[in-house]
Amino acid sequence: MYIDGDVLVISTDMDTSDVEELKSFVESRLDYIEEIVFEEENLEKFTSSSLFQLLFGIKKSKPEIKIDMIDKGSIGFSELGIVKWV
């Protein structure tokens, strides 16, 4: 994970301890982050549901932040199909 200007770049293969570290990192910098993007092009490699939970929490606390995966409203998995949310 790193910040490139006002964009936070993260990986999808974070385990629970990495997500905790990300949460601590973002808490003090949330006012300066405009967008969260993923390093990988293939978003199927999520290893922890806690990353989903953190991203949705960030979006809820700062709705104007751009997170393409959440803004799109769905994500496609080859084994699970399409997961949608509202």
Side-chain angles (χ1 to χ4, degrees), residues 32-59:
Y32 308 107
I33 298 172
E34 302 273 331
E35 181 177 7
I36 298 176
V37 298
F38 297 100
E39 292 176 329
E40 303 88 355
E41 289 184 28
N42 182 1
L43 297 181
E44 292 195 25
K45 305 242 186 247
F46 280 90
T47 56
S48 173
S49 62
S50 59
L51 180 56
F52 275 118
Q53 182 180 1
L54 178 60
L55 292 175
F56 278 97
I58 290 171
K59 186 70 172 180

Side-chain angles (χ1 to χ4, degrees), residues 2-57:
Y2 60 92
I3 290 191
D4 182 14
D6 56 359
V7 177
L8 174 63
V9 182
I10 61 173
S11 177
T12 59
D13 66 350
M14 294 182 164
D15 61 17
T16 306
S17 63
D18 293 332
V19 174
E20 283 293 324
E21 183 181 325
L22 175 62
K23 180 180 180 275
S24 298
F25 181 81
V26 167
E27 280 179 332
S28 62
R29 296 168 178 86
L30 190 56
D31 290 338
Y32 308 107
I33 298 172
E34 302 273 331
E35 181 177 7
I36 298 176
V37 298
F38 297 100
E39 292 176 329
E40 303 88 355
E41 289 184 28
N42 182 1
L43 297 181
E44 292 195 25
K45 305 242 186 247
F46 280 90
T47 56
S48 173
S49 62
S50 59
L51 180 56
F52 275 118
Q53 182 180 1
L54 178 60
L55 292 175
F56 278 97

Side-chain angles (χ1 to χ4, degrees), residues 66-85:
K66 184 178 177 193
I67 306 173
D68 277 343
M69 179 195 74
I70 295 174
D71 295 338
K72 191 167 84 169
S74 68
I75 186 170
F77 295 98
S78 59
E79 294 180 11
L80 301 173
I82 297 175
V83 177
K84 296 182 180 184
W85 48 83

